[in-house]
Every structure is written in C-alpha cells, then in structure tokens.
Amino acid sequence: MSTCSVSKGCFVFKPNAKKRRLPEKTAHDFRSTSHDSEDTELRFVTCQSLWNQIKFETEQIQEDLNKQLLDNLVSFLSRSHSDFQEKTTKWTCRMKFREIPTAAVVLGVNVTDHDLTFRGLSDVLQDNITPYVALLEAKDCPAIKNLMQKLMGQLMNCDIEVDSLEDEDCVQVPQNRIRCSMLSLISWYESVTKKTDSGTPSKKRNSSSRHWQSPPVVVIFKDMESFTTKVLQDFIVISSQHIHELPLVLIFGIATSPMIIHRLLPHSVSSLLCIELFQSLSCKEHLSTIIDKLLLTSRFPFKLGEKVLQVLINIFLYHDFSVQNFIKGFQLCIVEHFYSQPLSVLCCHLVDLKKRVYSLSHAQCENIRRLPSFRRYVEKQESGKQIELLTNDSFLKKETERLLEDLYVYHENYVSILRCLHVFTSSLPKYPLGKQIRELHCACLENQVWETEEYESSLQLARMLNKTDLVSMLQQCVEILTSSSGKEFDKTVEKLKEFLTQFQNLEAEASQERDVSVSSQKELQKKTDLYHLQKTLLELKESRRSKKLTKFEMLRFEVVDYIDRLVRKYLVPADNRTLHEIVYFNAATVLRGHLNAAPRTALHTALNNPHRYLKNQALKCDGGGISNKAPDICIVYKLHLECGRLINLVDWLEAFSTVVMAGEEPNADAASSDQVDDIIHARFIRAVSELELLGFIKPSKQKTDHVARLTWGGC
C-alpha cells in the first residue's frame, strides 16, 4: 500500500493488510489460571497448614535469637529507670552533667530485618518497663518540628482509650492543636504520672503492675544514619536541658558502625549522651540457624532442591543480607510448589500419607507414572512388576506409599549423618567443604559429595587429626545419632563407642611403649664398641625408613574410613531418590524469575500486551494487532515500536487517532467532530508524556516536531 507522505514517520494500515509480527515475549508466565485438579482445595489447605507451621517455628527461632539482645536492653532500661526513680547519686550526677542514657544497638546492614527487631523490643518494653515508647524514622522527621510532632503524637495517642473518652477529666486534644515542644511533653508526662499517683490511672497504662510509678520515655531512632545531623543535635541538646524533669532514654538503631555517632554528632553534643553499646547476632549466623531448624529437619515434609536453595542464599549474600526476605522466598517456594505440582497433595506428614495415597484418582496415578524418577525406577524392575506398576493403580498406590515412606526415612538418616560429617569438616583447617552446615548441605545435594576434590582433601586432613580432637568428634557424633529419630543407627552408635573404648585403651599401651623405648636407648649407650654401635645405628635408620603405622594411626584411619562409608551410604543426592519431585521444589528458573526483578521486561509486557495483567478479554489481540480498547499509553507504545530513531509527532498522532476511531461510526456533525479531535489530541499528549516519563522517548533538538526514541531491541 502506498502513502501520500514523503516524510519519515509511522503509518497505520487497515486490518486486511499484512502485519509485521512483534518480537516474542520472553517474560516468565506466572500461570494466572490454576491447574485443573480434583484436589485443588486439599492442596491449598495443605500448603496453608504447612506454611503456618513453618511461620510459627520461624517466629520462635527469631524470638530465641533476639532474646539475649532484648534482655540486655531491658536490663539497661531498668537500670536507667531505677536511677531516676530512686533519685540516686548516679542519676544526680547525670543530671549535673545533663547526660541522657543512650543504647547504641548495632543491628547490621540487613535493614529490612530491623523493623521486626524494634517491634519486638517495643512490645517487650511496653509489657515490662514502660508504656511510653516511640519509634521514629528519618523519613518522617526531616526537621526538629516534625520529630516533635511524631514523638508527641505516638506518646499521646497511645494514651487514648475508648472508655476514657467518656471521662470528664480525661479530655484528649487533637495533636494538631497542641504546641509540639519539650515543655508540652513534660507537662503531659507530669499530668499522666500525677493521675497514676492519685489513683485514677489510664486503663491502658496501668493495667499491669509491672510498670513503674514514673516509667521512662523511650525514644527509638530506627535508622540513625538516615537522620540529618541538625535534627539529632537539636533534639539531644533540648532533651539534655530537661533530663531532670523527663526520664528520657534514647535507643539508636545502627546499621554500620558505632563510630557513626561521633561522625554525625560533634563532641559537644555526643558528650551529652551516656552511651552503652549492644551488638545483635550476625545475620549470617541468623540465616544458618534458620536453615538448620527449617530445612535440616524431618519435621517438615517440604524440601528445597540444591539450585533453589543456592538462589535464595545468593540473593541473601549478594543483595540484602535480609533473613526476612529469605523467609519470604522460602514461602514463595512453598506456594509455587503446591500450585504447580499436582502431586504435592502427597507432600504431607506420615500420619496423613496413607489416606491420601489410596484416595488418588486414575489421573493422579498417571501423573506419578510420568515422573522422571519413577520412570527410572520402573526401568530397573522386572518385567512383571513393570507391567503392574504401569497398568494396575492399586499396586501403584501401594508401591507409592512404600517409596514415600522410604523417602521420609532417607531424610531422617540424611540429616543425622550430615551433622556428623559437619562435625569433622568444620574443625578442619581451611574448611574444604565450608564452615557452615548450609554449604555442606548444598554440596551434598548437588552431586555425590564423595567424588569431589574438596571431600578428598577433607579426608586427608581428617587422617592427620590428633587424638583429642578425634575423640571429641566421635563423642559429638554419638550424641547426634543417639538423639536422632532414625532406627538404623543402633549399630552405628555401638561401633563409634567401640572406637572410643579403643582410644582409651591406647593410653595404657602408649605408656608401655615409652618405657620400652627408654630401655632400648639405655642399652645403646652401654655399647661402646664402634662396630656394634654403627650396626645398631644402621638398623635404627632402616627401621625408620620402613616404619610401620602405630596403633593410633591405624585406628585413626579406621575411624575416618568408617565415617566415609556412612557418607557414601546415607548422603546420596536427593535427585537419585524415587518420587523426590513430590516433596522437593527444584524450579530454580521460576524462582529466579519471581525474585530477580526485570523491570524493563515487565514494563514491555504490560505495554505491549495489557491483557497479560488486566485480564480483559477485549484487550486480547492476535498477532501484532492493536486494539482500540487498550489504554492510550499501550497504543502509543506499540505504534512507537514501528518507528525509527526519530518519530514525527504529527504522523504519530494521525496513527493514534486512526486506531482509537477504528470501529466507530463517523459523526456528521462538524462541531462534535472537532470536539472529539480535541479529546483525542489531549489523550495523545498525555500518553506521550507518560511514555517520556518512563524513559522511552525524549524531545529532539534536531527537529521540534519530532521526538527521539531511546530503547531498541526486544525484551
């Protein structure tokens, strides 16, 4: 089709013309429609129940890990509070120097986890020490006025009770009518504490007798590094002038180093703080504990494959060090596994396994037969059993139950032997297999660990361990296997105890050998004849060359070889186990697509195919067509893909108008037509402005009626 324009621009042709196909989409499809399955509801309930159990366990772990830090902070605040309460000499000295009790809490660079820690601290303080706790963030406090408003707002709002609003002498004034100053805060505090003394306490404040009569006011700066220097200085200076009237305690949340206090505050201001330093648990240790308690346990049937676990760990190590984000990724794995795997209904505890296996439909049995691990298992069986497995559903269900029970037993044994192996490898120099148990776990999941060079290096180093270390490791292994729920380790425990007994017997024999060597040296000294002396020395030299292994060395080799046999027997990769697809989530590519943001790809998909996200059937187009029902920015975007480096705005507007007006009847009224053109023109200008804001185009200096295209290539 020919056109009457000689300028370079974009043109729209009628639907019967041949259309150029747009680039294929490469963005990951999130599967908006659920799988047609009879047990969808059961899978959802199982997934929800499993996640609730894991979530509860995670909260308990985090509470235990933060317990020592919170206890230390509570102790610090109790001391600070008692000093003010009893008006001791220590507090009087602080008053004289106007020092404010301050806790500097170093939490690490995992900023996203700080909120959980501070919320836990706030709850503990409000339960045991004081109800007056304020959490301040830098984004809400650009100036001292905003800081005071936020501080007084939090403190006063927490004093409002629904029932107390009916009391005549407890009238609450809106925050915007209060003059936010330190004097106002002091007056409010005195009035509240006076009510407590007079026997008319607020219900929320004094519902528990654990609060002191004059509780401190705790101000928590969640992200101290983000606060401006002037705001911090002004607040500290003002607060120090009233410290004898208001028992104020500051808590600084620090992500980097305690030295940031002295970098932000000059000496004249930092000298007004009585600082005590607190250090939280390292985020790496936190993650190792989470993995140890959630993944390396047989309590939860769901497991992560090696590549999936490596994706989560890499995001943790190379992006944010956030334990909370790791847990969210773990939750995403659970949801994705139960959503995408029809047989995930069998990913349950052993108590429910038998009932669910025998309730499988024929279609679900066919899904089992399609699993790659099950097909490998069938190929190894005899021809008669192969026929039964492939044709008889009842026989298949019975075999499936047995195989899944074996898989659960494998998990129990795997975790126990993995911990024993970690006892040996973590004490070796240079840590060939890694210091953390998560590194060893990934190595065992990836392939047969005994075939790696790191494992061979570990065995060589283990064969050089001294007796004390070896005995200590064996004792730890005995404790691990004794506490294990596995039933196959009775003989293993007896064998390890036998090794310990042999090491104890070596001590008596070693003392006897030392006595024999001393007597031989005395006999050598008695031989003064040169010939006999030379002969004896040659014999000693020859014996040293062909020196035999001592009993200790032989026993040490025997212990290491026995541990090696346990590793080869129990630490087989999960991919080699039949039906591992039911309980293991291995879709690392899917997880990476969810977690690793690809904004350009998502943006291209949204603009090029709005039906992908809006789910509106009117927006669905075949091929490279453009629907006039699509949002204006989508129409403008798809038209701009057809253009070169420079886009003529006039031609672009004409093309946009043609698409928008497609399928509409022409209006004979000229006035109405002009009005419609103005509306289309306005819509076009807005769409082009949005496209410019997103960074797809920019104004051109070469031609005023053109814009330059900034993006090229397919996503």
Side-chain angles (χ1 to χ4, degrees):
M1 179 182 293
S2 62
T3 60
C4 59
S5 175
V6 294
S7 62
K8 184 177 181 180
C10 54
F11 306 94
V12 175
F13 301 105
K14 295 300 180 181
N16 56 0
K18 188 177 181 180
K19 302 171 184 175
R20 187 173 68 89
R21 181 175 294 274
L22 293 175
E24 293 292 333
K25 295 180 293 183
T26 58
H28 171 63
D29 185 10
F30 287 90
R31 295 189 298 275
S32 58
T33 58
S34 61
H35 294 274
D36 296 331
S37 177
E38 303 171 1
D39 53 6
T40 303
E41 184 67 25
L42 181 59
R43 283 158 55 193
F44 174 75
V45 172
T46 306
C47 174
Q48 197 172 34
S49 174
L50 177 62
W51 171 243
N52 288 335
Q53 296 174 28
I54 293 177
K55 182 181 178 182
F56 176 78
E57 184 72 19
T58 303
E59 291 174 351
Q60 290 295 116
I61 294 170
Q62 293 176 326
E63 185 178 339
D64 295 340
L65 292 175
N66 292 328
K67 186 177 186 303
Q68 185 175 0
L69 174 65
L70 298 182
D71 290 346
N72 293 338
L73 286 171
V74 169
S75 176
F76 166 76
L77 291 167
S78 300
R79 294 195 308 270
S80 303
H81 171 269
S82 62
D83 292 342
F84 179 82
Q85 183 72 27
E86 300 170 7
K87 302 294 183 181
T88 61
T89 306
K90 188 175 181 182
W91 184 264
T92 306
C93 182
R94 279 189 187 165
M95 280 171 39
K96 187 180 298 182
F97 293 104
R98 298 185 301 172
E99 289 184 349
I100 306 174
T102 305
V105 186
V106 182
L107 297 173
V109 295
N110 49 327
V111 181
T112 52
D113 297 338
H114 295 182
D115 187 59
L116 179 65
T117 304
F118 283 125
R119 276 193 278 113
L121 174 61
S122 178
D123 294 340
V124 171
L125 294 179
Q126 290 179 344
D127 290 341
N128 300 285
I129 302 296
T130 174
Y132 309 121
V133 181
L135 290 165
L136 302 180
E137 293 185 75
K139 64 181 182 180
D140 301 325
C141 308
I144 185 65
K145 177 182 178 182
N146 306 102
L147 188 148
M148 292 303 300
Q149 287 178 346
K150 199 73 177 177
L151 174 61
M152 296 183 67
Q154 290 190 28
L155 293 176
M156 294 183 180
N157 285 342
C158 64
D159 191 46
I160 296 176
E161 286 290 332
V162 177
D163 298 335
S164 66
L165 291 177
E166 301 175 358
D167 299 338
E168 294 179 358
D169 52 347
C170 187
V171 180
Q172 299 298 326
V173 183
Q175 180 190 345
N176 55 6
R177 296 183 184 178
I178 297 177
R179 185 165 177 246
C180 296
S181 64
M182 190 60 69
L183 294 177
S184 302
L185 183 60
I186 293 171
S187 301
W188 167 82
Y189 181 79
E190 290 177 349
S191 65
V192 172
T193 53
K194 188 178 295 184
K195 289 176 186 177
T196 305
D197 297 338
S198 62
T200 58
S202 172
K203 295 180 181 179
K204 186 173 181 178
R205 290 296 183 201
N206 296 280
S207 58
S208 174
S209 60
R210 289 173 292 182
H211 294 158
W212 289 80
Q213 195 173 14
S214 298
V217 176
V218 180
V219 182
I220 301 176
F221 295 85
K222 296 173 64 175
D223 47 349
M224 183 191 176
E225 290 94 339
S226 301
F227 279 86
T228 59
T229 303
K230 181 173 175 52
V231 171
L232 287 175
Q233 289 185 24
D234 292 346
F235 179 75
I236 292 171
V237 171
I238 295 172
S239 301
S240 66
Q241 295 173 356
H242 301 278
I243 191 63
H244 58 285
E245 300 173 291
L246 184 68
L248 191 67
V249 180
L250 305 182
I251 297 179
F252 291 153
I254 299 174
T256 53
S257 169
M259 291 302 296
I260 193 66
I261 298 176
H262 302 288
R263 292 177 185 173
L264 290 176
L265 304 175
H267 181 266
S268 59
V269 178
S270 61
S271 60
L272 301 175
L273 303 175
C274 181
I275 303 174
E276 188 168 334
L277 185 64
F278 298 88
Q279 180 72 51
S280 69
L281 188 68
S282 167
C283 55
K284 290 186 178 180
E285 296 177 6
H286 199 156
L287 176 68
S288 298
T289 307
I290 292 290
I291 292 177
D292 190 20
K293 300 292 185 181
L294 294 184
L295 301 183
L296 301 181
T297 177
S298 57
R299 294 169 53 192
F300 305 115
F302 176 77
K303 305 294 178 184
L304 293 181
E306 183 271 332
K307 293 183 179 179
V308 171
L309 180 58
Q310 202 62 53
V311 168
L312 293 177
I313 293 177
N314 287 342
I315 291 176
F316 173 85
L317 293 176
Y318 301 115
H319 286 77
D320 51 14
F321 286 103
S322 174
V323 178
Q324 292 300 312
N325 289 345
F326 180 88
I327 295 173
K328 290 178 183 177
F330 184 49
Q331 180 187 16
L332 180 61
C333 293
I334 295 175
V335 174
E336 182 67 30
H337 178 71
F338 279 89
Y339 179 73
S340 60
Q341 175 56 264
L343 295 171
S344 58
V345 67
L346 300 178
C347 183
C348 59
H349 295 285
L350 280 174
V351 180
D352 305 322
L353 181 61
K354 184 174 183 179
K355 179 180 178 182
R356 296 193 180 188
V357 167
Y358 284 97
S359 63
L360 294 176
S361 63
H362 176 71
Q364 291 167 322
C365 291
E366 290 299 321
N367 288 333
I368 293 177
R369 295 184 176 105
R370 294 191 194 100
L371 293 177
S373 62
F374 185 79
R375 294 168 65 180
R376 292 194 298 267
Y377 172 77
V378 172
E379 291 173 357
K380 297 177 183 178
Q381 306 305 312
E382 299 177 353
S383 58
K385 190 174 183 179
Q386 287 180 351
I387 295 173
E388 289 292 322
L389 289 171
L390 296 176
T391 58
N392 190 340
D393 288 351
S394 300
F395 185 81
L396 174 66
K397 293 176 183 179
K398 185 177 180 180
E399 192 70 11
T400 300
E401 181 188 6
R402 185 187 66 80
L403 291 173
L404 286 176
E405 288 176 352
D406 291 345
L407 189 60
Y408 282 89
V409 173
Y410 158 78
H411 288 148
E412 295 176 354
N413 299 338
Y414 174 89
V415 172
S416 301
I417 299 301
L418 182 71
R419 296 187 188 280
C420 292
L421 179 60
H422 180 250
V423 168
F424 278 82
T425 59
S426 61
S427 59
L428 298 176
K430 300 181 181 180
Y431 310 113
L433 285 171
K435 185 178 181 181
Q436 303 292 340
I437 193 171
R438 57 179 170 82
E439 300 172 330
L440 182 60
H441 177 51
C442 289
C444 293
L445 286 179
E446 185 177 5
N447 47 35
Q448 295 177 338
V449 68
W450 55 85
E451 295 180 353
T452 61
E453 296 181 1
E454 293 80 6
Y455 181 80
E456 291 296 329
S457 301
S458 299
L459 288 186
Q460 293 177 6
L461 292 172
R463 292 189 178 101
M464 294 186 288
L465 290 171
N466 58 44
K467 179 183 174 183
T468 305
D469 293 340
L470 206 55
V471 170
S472 175
M473 293 175 188
L474 288 175
Q475 290 174 346
Q476 293 181 53
C477 291
V478 169
E479 293 176 0
I480 291 172
L481 297 179
T482 303
S483 60
S484 172
S485 57
K487 300 178 182 179
E488 302 182 11
F489 295 133
D490 294 338
K491 295 183 179 180
T492 304
V493 172
E494 292 179 2
K495 186 65 176 178
L496 295 181
K497 289 182 178 179
E498 181 182 340
F499 285 139
L500 290 173
T501 305
Q502 293 179 15
F503 277 117
Q504 292 175 356
N505 296 335
L506 284 178
E507 294 182 1
E509 298 179 5
S511 60
Q512 295 178 1
E513 290 180 358
R514 284 196 296 268
D515 296 339
V516 172
S517 63
V518 170
S519 61
S520 63
Q521 290 177 2
K522 290 181 179 179
E523 292 179 359
L524 182 62
Q525 292 174 357
K526 292 179 182 179
K527 296 180 180 180
T528 56
D529 182 68
L530 182 61
Y531 172 75
H532 288 91
L533 184 61
Q534 288 180 342
K535 183 179 179 182
T536 306
L537 291 174
L538 288 173
E539 290 176 354
L540 287 173
K541 186 177 181 180
E542 188 66 25
S543 64
R544 287 172 183 171
R545 287 181 178 177
S546 59
K547 184 181 178 181
K548 296 182 180 180
L549 294 175
T550 63
K551 292 184 178 180
F552 167 72
E553 292 172 339
M554 294 174 63
L555 184 57
R556 181 172 59 186
F557 272 68
E558 188 176 351
V559 169
V560 174
D561 290 342
Y562 184 76
I563 297 297
D564 180 42
R565 290 197 296 272
L566 292 177
V567 169
R568 294 172 183 268
K569 180 178 179 181
Y570 293 106
L571 296 189
V572 179
D575 292 346
N576 296 346
R577 306 292 303 189
T578 307
L579 302 183
H580 71 272
E581 297 93 342
I582 295 177
V583 296
Y584 277 86
F585 178 67
N586 293 299
T589 305
V590 175
L591 179 66
R592 195 179 292 110
H594 287 335
L595 297 180
N596 292 345
R600 185 186 173 190
T601 302
L603 194 59
H604 171 79
T605 305
L607 296 176
N608 194 45
N609 183 19
H611 173 263
R612 175 74 172 74
Y613 295 108
L614 299 179
K615 307 304 178 187
N616 188 345
Q617 293 297 328
L619 302 178
K620 200 169 185 179
C621 294
D622 298 330
I626 305 176
S627 172
N628 62 337
K629 303 294 184 181
D632 293 342
I633 189 174
C634 297
I635 298 173
V636 169
Y637 177 79
K638 295 188 74 171
L639 290 173
H640 114 286
L641 292 178
E642 305 291 336
C643 303
R645 187 177 65 86
L646 293 178
I647 306 175
N648 189 321
L649 287 171
V650 177
D651 295 335
W652 202 2
L653 173 60
E654 290 294 332
F656 176 78
S657 178
T658 304
V659 173
V660 170
M661 298 297 294
E664 296 185 6
E665 296 180 359
N667 197 339
D669 190 356
S672 300
S673 178
D674 293 340
Q675 187 178 2
V676 170
D677 291 342
D678 292 340
I679 294 174
I680 293 176
H681 193 183
R683 290 168 56 185
F684 173 77
I685 292 174
R686 184 177 63 180
V688 171
S689 300
E690 292 173 350
L691 214 59
E692 181 181 356
L693 183 63
L694 292 174
F696 288 100
I697 59 173
K698 71 174 183 178
S700 174
K701 295 182 180 180
Q702 298 179 6
K703 298 180 180 180
T704 56
D705 60 342
H706 285 64
V707 292
R709 183 178 173 184
L710 299 178
T711 57
W712 304 92
C715 295

